[in-house]
Amino acid sequence: MIYPKIALAQSIIEICLAKGITNIIISPGSRNAPLTIGFAQNPNFKCYSIADERCAAFFALGIAQQTKSPTAIVCTSGSALLNYYPAVAEAFYSQIPLIVISADRPQSKIDIGDGQTIRQENVFQNHSVFNANLNEDASVENDLKINKAIETAIIQKGPVHINAPFEEPLYETVDTLSVQSKITHSEEIIGTKIIENLEDVLSIWNSAKSKLILVGVNESNSIDQEIVDNFANDASIVVLTETTSNLHHPSFINSIDTLITPFDDTDFNAFQPEILITFGGMIVSKRIKAFLRKYKPKNHWHIDTLRAYDTFGALTQHFVMTPNDFFKALLPQSVNVESDYFSKIDTIYDLRKIRRQEYLDKISFSDFKVFEKVIETLPIDSQLQISNSSAIRYAQLIDLDPSIEVFCNRGTSGIDGSTSTAIGAAVGSGKKTVFITGDIGFLYDSNALWNSYIPKNFKIILINNGGGGIFRILPGHEEKPVFNTYFETSHQLTAEHLAKMYKMNYYTAKDVESLEKNIKSLYNDDNAAAILEVFTPTFENDVVLKNYFKQLI
């Protein structure tokens, strides 16, 4: 076995291995050479080389998202580290374990005018769950910090930063370890299985005739089917699910905006819940957030083992447990109350679905029509990754096959690393992965394709409407040069030459006929990763979408 000669690098590598951190994404550099040599020469690690640090971090995030295990990213000193920040923030808010290991200059070289030096210690302090600032020499003190960092990433499900100063020479190797690293162990605590104030909770629950359950970003199969069926059979419960909730039942409302956008004050008053229960991550729908902030529930209970955001200004209790454990403790002792809360909403939503299909059947080729066609043709049991802005919002409006798992970077809701995350997720899961993205998000993260590990079963559906279509949907849009240049970012670029450069197969569509033909070709293409670029009309898309909500009544 070949090891780096620098003892501190040996300690980091050995502790990572002992803690089961085996997926290592390395970006090229000199200062991190001791780490690169040690990780890459050890067959117990699966190492990936990704040159662009921002893409590398999001690629690692995608792997961690799928494996549910920490993934490590390793970079050289200086600005390389700062390029990790968007993914670190996403990991922080999406509760994904990420181990950032940065090589640094010795402390004596900082702020003296030396090259590739910045103040690296605690650089992610606002968006990390632990920071281990190591000393240059191997020591028990350093070992304890490294252990603590990795354990914290696992327990608190978030990013940690290990900053390691190395002095030259950096490339020397040895064939035996010079350290015996100290390994610590801590038990993962994931909350309680008992509702401590159960009698009080039951009293509120059993007397409430309107209970609204709102589910954000959520892992599939995390809620027992018995619990799901209980929700569906309770006349006082309405369940609102988002595309990213991965929770399905025919009685659940899976397009929130389709239901509530046409509501007036009378409708909203009738829909106002006595109890709001939330679990899962961030909510996409701006309309449901606006509704619940204005028409506040008497009680808002959030269920999560770690955090509870007061998103609606109405939070009354945080249950520090898994949602499944909460409902397993609550429901057997609950009683059903007489209520028409569900039946009234269900009747409205059934009519909305009829109106939706009538509208989709008659609209012209547009973003909305493309999303209908794309989502209804997704392969069974595949994984769907979606970029932010317009893409995730359109996806919220279309019914999805329950076998398809859905993911989106909703922690910070940025466009900056969606493609890189999707590729990492495809690598991490091994499943056939379809990534739906808009043109601006795709172009912004085009270095994601500078990646030697893209699986052949990874497919991109790129909807190119010539700019940032989301800004046409938002209030305040005016067709003026300042809008086109600085908000929409109008362009005439395509992915054709990028696909050729990165050896990806390339298909196009510009109408329903070519879309239906080439989407089949995309899914049947087993020879390489591929892109289907769908060109939609820039100026019609927002009109089609806005008219949709008018046609629902």
Side-chain angles (χ1 to χ4, degrees), residues 384-404:
L384 174 61
Q385 293 275 337
I386 311 178
S387 70
N388 277 301
S389 290
S390 297
I392 186 62
R393 286 171 170 80
Y394 274 111
Q396 299 276 89
L397 303 176
I398 310 294
D399 289 344
L400 188 81
D401 189 279
S403 73
I404 298 167

Side-chain angles (χ1 to χ4, degrees), residues 235-304:
S236 67
I237 294 178
V238 170
V239 180
L240 303 181
T241 62
E242 295 213 308
T243 303
T244 53
S245 73
N246 294 298
L247 189 65
H248 303 277
H249 191 279
S251 70
F252 293 174
I253 309 295
N254 58 6
S255 180
I256 298 170
D257 288 355
T258 296
L259 172 70
I260 70 171
T261 299
F263 275 5
D264 57 23
D265 283 342
T266 301
D267 298 318
F268 280 128
N269 276 309
F271 192 39
Q272 182 178 14
E274 295 172 67
I275 302 174
L276 169 67
I277 295 185
T278 55
F279 61 89
M282 304 295 188
I283 299 295
V284 176
S285 172
K286 294 180 70 174
R287 289 180 172 92
I288 194 64
K289 285 185 277 192
F291 159 60
L292 290 169
R293 286 166 181 163
K294 183 176 180 181
Y295 300 86
K296 297 182 189 299
K298 294 177 182 177
N299 291 277
H300 173 199
W301 301 341
H302 186 72
I303 312 165
D304 188 277

